[in-house]
Amino acid sequence: MIPEKLAQLDPIIHSRLRLAILSILISVKEANFNYLKNTIGTTDGNLSANLSKLEEAGYISIRKTFRGKKPLTTCSISEKGRKAFSAYLQALETYLHFKK
Amino acid sequence: MNESQAREEIRFIQEMIERTKRITAGSWMFFLIWGIVAILGVIGMYVLVYFEKYSWIWVNWIIFVAIGIVHSLVYGTKQERELGAKTYTQGVVGHLCLACGMAFMLVGFIFPALGLYSWGLIAVLISLIAGILVFVMGGIYEWNLLKWCGLIWWFGALGMVFIHENYRGLLFIPLMLVGYIMPALVLRSMYWRERDKNDP
Protein backbone atom coordinates (compact mmCIF):
# COMPACT_ATOMS: atom_id res chain seq x y z
CA MET A 1 0.00 0.00 0.00
CA ILE A 2 1.37 3.47 -0.91
CA PRO A 3 2.31 5.46 2.23
CA GLU A 4 0.27 8.48 1.11
CA LYS A 5 -2.84 6.31 1.00
CA LEU A 6 -2.09 4.97 4.45
CA ALA A 7 -2.29 8.48 5.80
CA GLN A 8 -5.96 8.66 4.74
CA LEU A 9 -7.36 7.04 7.82
CA ASP A 10 -11.11 7.11 8.33
CA PRO A 11 -11.69 10.67 9.60
CA ILE A 12 -14.78 9.55 11.53
CA ILE A 13 -12.67 7.17 13.63
CA HIS A 14 -9.50 9.25 13.57
CA SER A 15 -10.35 11.18 16.72
CA ARG A 16 -9.20 10.14 20.19
CA LEU A 17 -12.65 10.13 21.74
CA ARG A 18 -14.39 8.35 18.87
CA LEU A 19 -11.56 5.83 18.73
CA ALA A 20 -12.03 5.21 22.47
CA ILE A 21 -15.79 4.75 22.02
CA LEU A 22 -15.39 2.22 19.25
CA SER A 23 -12.59 0.37 21.07
CA ILE A 24 -14.90 -0.12 24.02
CA LEU A 25 -17.99 -1.00 21.99
CA ILE A 26 -16.06 -3.57 19.94
CA SER A 27 -15.27 -5.40 23.21
CA VAL A 28 -18.77 -5.43 24.67
CA LYS A 29 -22.26 -6.33 23.48
CA GLU A 30 -23.57 -2.96 24.58
CA ALA A 31 -22.67 -0.19 27.01
CA ASN A 32 -24.66 2.63 28.52
CA PHE A 33 -23.79 6.32 28.42
CA ASN A 34 -22.45 6.47 31.96
CA TYR A 35 -20.24 3.45 31.46
CA LEU A 36 -18.68 5.01 28.36
CA LYS A 37 -18.26 8.35 30.12
CA ASN A 38 -16.60 6.83 33.21
CA THR A 39 -14.41 4.40 31.30
CA ILE A 40 -13.14 6.99 28.84
CA GLY A 41 -13.08 9.84 31.36
CA THR A 42 -14.84 12.56 29.40
CA THR A 43 -17.71 15.00 29.84
CA ASP A 44 -21.38 14.49 29.00
CA GLY A 45 -21.32 17.07 26.22
CA ASN A 46 -18.19 15.74 24.57
CA LEU A 47 -19.40 12.16 24.66
CA SER A 48 -22.85 13.09 23.39
CA ALA A 49 -21.48 15.00 20.42
CA ASN A 50 -19.13 12.20 19.41
CA LEU A 51 -21.76 9.50 19.83
CA SER A 52 -24.02 11.48 17.50
CA LYS A 53 -21.27 11.69 14.93
CA LEU A 54 -20.69 7.93 15.07
CA GLU A 55 -24.42 7.27 14.87
CA GLU A 56 -24.76 9.55 11.81
CA ALA A 57 -21.98 7.61 10.13
CA GLY A 58 -23.86 4.37 10.89
CA TYR A 59 -21.04 2.99 13.03
CA ILE A 60 -23.06 2.63 16.21
CA SER A 61 -26.69 2.32 17.15
CA ILE A 62 -28.15 4.16 20.12
CA ARG A 63 -31.19 3.02 22.04
CA LYS A 64 -32.96 5.36 24.43
CA THR A 65 -35.14 3.83 27.12
CA PHE A 66 -36.13 4.50 30.69
CA ARG A 67 -35.15 2.70 33.87
CA GLY A 68 -37.88 3.75 36.20
CA LYS A 69 -38.02 7.49 35.64
CA LYS A 70 -34.37 7.85 34.62
CA PRO A 71 -33.46 7.99 30.93
CA LEU A 72 -31.06 5.29 29.82
CA THR A 73 -28.95 5.55 26.67
CA THR A 74 -27.44 2.28 25.48
CA CYS A 75 -24.94 2.05 22.63
CA SER A 76 -23.72 -0.84 20.55
CA ILE A 77 -21.43 -1.07 17.54
CA SER A 78 -23.02 -1.85 14.16
CA GLU A 79 -21.72 -4.23 11.52
CA LYS A 80 -20.63 -1.22 9.48
CA GLY A 81 -18.82 0.11 12.55
CA ARG A 82 -17.03 -3.22 13.09
CA LYS A 83 -15.82 -3.28 9.52
CA ALA A 84 -14.72 0.34 9.67
CA PHE A 85 -12.86 -0.24 12.96
CA SER A 86 -11.27 -3.38 11.60
CA ALA A 87 -10.16 -1.53 8.46
CA TYR A 88 -8.78 1.29 10.62
CA LEU A 89 -6.77 -1.16 12.73
CA GLN A 90 -5.52 -2.91 9.63
CA ALA A 91 -4.41 0.40 8.15
CA LEU A 92 -2.46 1.21 11.32
CA GLU A 93 -0.82 -2.21 11.41
CA THR A 94 -0.01 -2.16 7.70
CA TYR A 95 1.54 1.28 8.13
CA LEU A 96 3.74 0.03 10.97
CA HIS A 97 4.69 -3.10 9.01
CA PHE A 98 5.57 -0.92 6.01
CA LYS A 99 7.69 1.33 8.21
CA LYS A 100 9.70 -1.69 9.42
CA MET B 1 0.52 10.38 10.71
CA ASN B 2 3.95 9.20 11.76
CA GLU B 3 5.13 5.91 13.26
CA SER B 4 4.95 6.97 16.90
CA GLN B 5 1.42 8.30 16.42
CA ALA B 6 0.36 4.98 14.87
CA ARG B 7 1.93 3.05 17.80
CA GLU B 8 0.28 5.38 20.30
CA GLU B 9 -3.11 4.79 18.68
CA ILE B 10 -2.71 1.01 18.89
CA ARG B 11 -1.58 1.30 22.52
CA PHE B 12 -4.60 3.51 23.25
CA ILE B 13 -6.98 0.99 21.66
CA GLN B 14 -5.45 -1.80 23.78
CA GLU B 15 -5.83 0.30 26.92
CA MET B 16 -9.54 0.91 26.24
CA ILE B 17 -10.11 -2.79 25.61
CA GLU B 18 -8.26 -3.65 28.85
CA ARG B 19 -10.61 -1.36 30.80
CA THR B 20 -13.60 -3.40 29.66
CA LYS B 21 -11.98 -6.50 31.22
CA ARG B 22 -12.61 -4.99 34.66
CA ILE B 23 -16.20 -6.14 34.19
CA THR B 24 -15.02 -9.74 34.25
CA ALA B 25 -13.36 -9.44 37.67
CA GLY B 26 -16.69 -8.40 39.14
CA SER B 27 -17.84 -12.02 39.09
CA TRP B 28 -15.88 -12.72 42.31
CA MET B 29 -19.02 -12.45 44.42
CA PHE B 30 -20.67 -15.41 42.65
CA PHE B 31 -17.69 -17.64 43.42
CA LEU B 32 -17.59 -16.49 47.03
CA ILE B 33 -21.28 -16.95 47.76
CA TRP B 34 -21.55 -20.35 46.14
CA GLY B 35 -18.39 -21.46 47.93
CA ILE B 36 -19.82 -20.38 51.30
CA VAL B 37 -23.25 -21.86 50.51
CA ALA B 38 -21.72 -25.22 49.59
CA ILE B 39 -19.51 -25.35 52.71
CA LEU B 40 -22.44 -24.48 54.96
CA GLY B 41 -24.51 -27.11 53.16
CA VAL B 42 -21.88 -29.78 53.85
CA ILE B 43 -21.58 -28.74 57.52
CA GLY B 44 -25.37 -28.74 57.85
CA MET B 45 -25.49 -32.19 56.29
CA TYR B 46 -23.01 -33.67 58.78
CA VAL B 47 -24.77 -32.01 61.70
CA LEU B 48 -28.02 -33.64 60.59
CA VAL B 49 -26.24 -36.98 60.17
CA TYR B 50 -24.83 -36.64 63.69
CA PHE B 51 -28.35 -36.12 65.06
CA GLU B 52 -29.64 -38.90 62.76
CA LYS B 53 -32.10 -36.56 61.02
CA TYR B 54 -31.44 -38.16 57.64
CA SER B 55 -34.70 -37.11 56.01
CA TRP B 56 -33.79 -33.45 56.59
CA ILE B 57 -30.57 -33.66 54.56
CA TRP B 58 -32.44 -32.91 51.31
CA VAL B 59 -34.18 -29.97 52.93
CA ASN B 60 -30.79 -28.66 54.12
CA TRP B 61 -29.45 -28.71 50.57
CA ILE B 62 -32.60 -27.28 49.01
CA ILE B 63 -32.46 -24.32 51.41
CA PHE B 64 -28.80 -23.55 50.77
CA VAL B 65 -29.09 -23.98 46.99
CA ALA B 66 -32.14 -21.71 46.98
CA ILE B 67 -30.14 -19.07 48.88
CA GLY B 68 -27.37 -19.35 46.27
CA ILE B 69 -29.80 -19.05 43.35
CA VAL B 70 -31.65 -16.07 44.82
CA HIS B 71 -28.38 -14.28 45.61
CA SER B 72 -27.03 -14.97 42.11
CA LEU B 73 -30.17 -13.55 40.49
CA VAL B 74 -30.30 -10.46 42.73
CA TYR B 75 -26.57 -9.74 42.61
CA GLY B 76 -26.41 -10.47 38.88
CA THR B 77 -29.16 -7.97 38.13
CA LYS B 78 -27.62 -5.37 40.46
CA GLN B 79 -24.17 -5.85 38.94
CA GLU B 80 -25.52 -5.52 35.42
CA ARG B 81 -27.13 -2.20 36.35
CA GLU B 82 -24.03 -0.88 38.12
CA LEU B 83 -21.56 -1.93 35.46
CA GLY B 84 -23.52 -0.43 32.59
CA ALA B 85 -22.13 -2.77 29.95
CA LYS B 86 -22.67 -6.34 28.81
CA THR B 87 -19.76 -8.34 27.47
CA TYR B 88 -19.75 -11.40 25.23
CA THR B 89 -17.72 -13.19 27.90
CA GLN B 90 -20.51 -12.62 30.43
CA GLY B 91 -22.97 -14.22 28.04
CA VAL B 92 -20.78 -17.27 27.51
CA VAL B 93 -19.98 -17.64 31.21
CA GLY B 94 -23.63 -17.15 32.10
CA HIS B 95 -24.62 -20.04 29.83
CA LEU B 96 -21.82 -22.20 31.21
CA CYS B 97 -22.95 -21.54 34.80
CA LEU B 98 -26.55 -22.26 33.88
CA ALA B 99 -25.60 -25.53 32.20
CA CYS B 100 -23.45 -26.64 35.14
CA GLY B 101 -26.15 -25.50 37.56
CA MET B 102 -28.65 -27.77 35.79
CA ALA B 103 -26.11 -30.60 35.91
CA PHE B 104 -25.63 -30.00 39.67
CA MET B 105 -29.40 -30.22 40.18
CA LEU B 106 -29.72 -33.43 38.19
CA VAL B 107 -26.69 -35.09 39.77
CA GLY B 108 -27.28 -33.81 43.30
CA PHE B 109 -31.04 -34.13 43.62
CA ILE B 110 -32.99 -35.67 40.75
CA PHE B 111 -30.92 -38.75 39.87
CA PRO B 112 -30.34 -39.87 43.49
CA ALA B 113 -34.04 -39.30 44.25
CA LEU B 114 -34.89 -41.57 41.31
CA GLY B 115 -32.57 -44.18 42.77
CA LEU B 116 -30.06 -44.09 39.93
CA TYR B 117 -27.15 -44.29 42.35
CA SER B 118 -26.49 -44.07 46.07
CA TRP B 119 -26.04 -40.72 47.80
CA GLY B 120 -22.36 -41.58 48.34
CA LEU B 121 -21.63 -40.92 44.66
CA ILE B 122 -23.06 -37.37 44.69
CA ALA B 123 -19.91 -35.68 46.02
CA VAL B 124 -17.76 -37.34 43.34
CA LEU B 125 -20.04 -36.29 40.49
CA ILE B 126 -20.50 -32.76 41.87
CA SER B 127 -16.71 -32.38 42.10
CA LEU B 128 -16.39 -33.56 38.51
CA ILE B 129 -18.86 -30.94 37.27
CA ALA B 130 -17.31 -28.23 39.47
CA GLY B 131 -13.97 -29.03 37.86
CA ILE B 132 -15.46 -28.62 34.39
CA LEU B 133 -17.09 -25.31 35.36
CA VAL B 134 -13.96 -23.82 36.88
CA PHE B 135 -11.54 -25.16 34.26
CA VAL B 136 -13.62 -23.89 31.32
CA MET B 137 -14.03 -20.50 33.03
CA GLY B 138 -10.24 -20.41 33.33
CA GLY B 139 -10.06 -20.91 29.58
CA ILE B 140 -12.64 -18.23 28.85
CA TYR B 141 -11.02 -15.68 31.19
CA GLU B 142 -7.53 -16.80 30.14
CA TRP B 143 -6.70 -17.26 33.80
CA ASN B 144 -4.40 -20.15 34.64
CA LEU B 145 -5.27 -20.08 38.36
CA LEU B 146 -8.84 -21.16 37.53
CA LYS B 147 -7.56 -23.92 35.27
CA TRP B 148 -5.41 -25.22 38.12
CA CYS B 149 -8.44 -25.05 40.41
CA GLY B 150 -10.33 -27.15 37.87
CA LEU B 151 -7.58 -29.75 37.97
CA ILE B 152 -7.69 -29.72 41.78
CA TRP B 153 -11.43 -30.45 41.65
CA TRP B 154 -10.82 -33.43 39.36
CA PHE B 155 -8.05 -34.80 41.55
CA GLY B 156 -10.38 -34.27 44.49
CA ALA B 157 -13.10 -36.28 42.72
CA LEU B 158 -10.58 -39.03 42.11
CA GLY B 159 -9.43 -38.92 45.73
CA MET B 160 -13.02 -39.25 46.96
CA VAL B 161 -13.26 -42.63 45.26
CA PHE B 162 -10.74 -43.99 47.76
CA ILE B 163 -12.55 -42.54 50.77
CA HIS B 164 -15.50 -44.21 52.45
CA GLU B 165 -18.70 -42.65 51.13
CA ASN B 166 -19.67 -41.46 54.62
CA TYR B 167 -16.68 -39.11 54.67
CA ARG B 168 -16.49 -37.93 51.06
CA GLY B 169 -18.41 -34.78 51.84
CA LEU B 170 -15.67 -33.71 54.25
CA LEU B 171 -13.17 -33.52 51.37
CA PHE B 172 -15.64 -31.20 49.72
CA ILE B 173 -14.81 -28.44 52.22
CA PRO B 174 -11.09 -28.04 51.41
CA LEU B 175 -11.95 -28.40 47.70
CA MET B 176 -14.41 -25.54 48.01
CA LEU B 177 -11.88 -23.42 49.90
CA VAL B 178 -9.20 -23.96 47.28
CA GLY B 179 -11.35 -24.32 44.19
CA TYR B 180 -13.96 -21.60 44.77
CA ILE B 181 -13.22 -19.32 47.74
CA MET B 182 -9.55 -18.76 46.96
CA PRO B 183 -10.09 -17.69 43.32
CA ALA B 184 -12.99 -15.52 44.54
CA LEU B 185 -10.69 -13.64 46.89
CA VAL B 186 -8.01 -13.25 44.23
CA LEU B 187 -10.62 -11.98 41.76
CA ARG B 188 -11.93 -9.59 44.42
CA SER B 189 -8.51 -8.05 44.98
CA MET B 190 -8.07 -7.71 41.18
CA TYR B 191 -11.49 -6.08 40.93
CA TRP B 192 -10.86 -3.54 43.74
CA ARG B 193 -7.39 -2.77 42.41
CA GLU B 194 -8.77 -2.03 38.92
CA ARG B 195 -11.63 -0.03 40.35
CA ASP B 196 -9.27 2.17 42.39
CA LYS B 197 -6.98 2.61 39.37
CA ASN B 198 -9.79 3.74 37.06
CA ASP B 199 -11.83 5.86 39.46
CA PRO B 200 -10.90 9.58 39.29
Side-chain angles (χ1 to χ4, degrees), chain B residues 124 127-128 152-163 171 175:
Chain B
V124 178
S127 299
L128 180 66
I152 287 168
W153 274 107
W154 290 332
F155 279 116
L158 194 60
M160 282 178 187
V161 171
F162 301 101
I163 297 173
L171 185 53
L175 281 174

Side-chain angles (χ1 to χ4, degrees), chain B residues 48-124:
Chain B
L48 289 168
V49 165
Y50 180 79
F51 289 109
E52 295 180 4
K53 304 283 184 196
Y54 302 109
S55 59
W56 283 89
I57 290 175
W58 300 110
V59 177
N60 165 74
W61 279 112
I62 285 168
I63 288 171
F64 280 112
V65 166
I67 290 170
I69 290 172
V70 166
H71 174 270
S72 292
L73 289 171
V74 169
Y75 180 73
T77 307
K78 182 175 171 246
Q79 198 193 31
E80 201 176 288
R81 283 186 177 197
E82 279 177 2
L83 288 171
K86 287 183 193 174
T87 65
Y88 299 102
T89 306
Q90 280 173 315
V92 170
V93 168
H95 280 84
L96 174 66
C97 289
L98 202 62
C100 288
M102 282 304 298
F104 285 137
M105 289 292 181
L106 288 167
V107 156
F109 291 106
I110 311 295
F111 290 159
L114 292 172
L116 201 65
Y117 42 75
S118 76
W119 62 270
L121 197 53
I122 295 173
V124 178

Side-chain angles (χ1 to χ4, degrees), chain A residues 29 32 35 39 82 88, chain B residues 1 9 19 83-84 86 88:
Chain A
K29 268 187 191 172
N32 68 28
Y35 177 79
T39 306
R82 279 183 197 284
Y88 189 89
Chain B
M1 166 163 290
E9 290 223 335
R19 289 187 186 184
L83 288 171
K86 287 183 193 174
Y88 299 102

Side-chain angles (χ1 to χ4, degrees), chain A residues 84-100:
Chain A
F85 186 77
S86 179
Y88 189 89
L89 259 185
Q90 211 164 354
L92 284 176
E93 284 167 1
T94 308
Y95 178 77
L96 287 171
H97 177 76
F98 181 87
K99 286 304 270 183
K100 277 182 193 168

Side-chain angles (χ1 to χ4, degrees), chain A residues 21-31 35 59-61 75-79 81-83 85, chain B residues 17 20-21 23-24 80 83-97 137 140-141:
Chain A
I21 292 168
L22 288 180
S23 299
I24 291 168
L25 291 181
I26 202 105
S27 314
V28 300
K29 268 187 191 172
E30 58 182 36
Y35 177 79
Y59 288 176
I60 66 170
S61 59
C75 309
S76 55
I77 195 166
S78 66
E79 194 51 42
R82 279 183 197 284
K83 287 180 180 166
F85 186 77
Chain B
I17 292 172
T20 65
K21 290 187 180 175
I23 297 170
T24 301
E80 201 176 288
L83 288 171
K86 287 183 193 174
T87 65
Y88 299 102
T89 306
Q90 280 173 315
V92 170
V93 168
H95 280 84
L96 174 66
C97 289
M137 280 179 84
I140 293 168
Y141 288 145

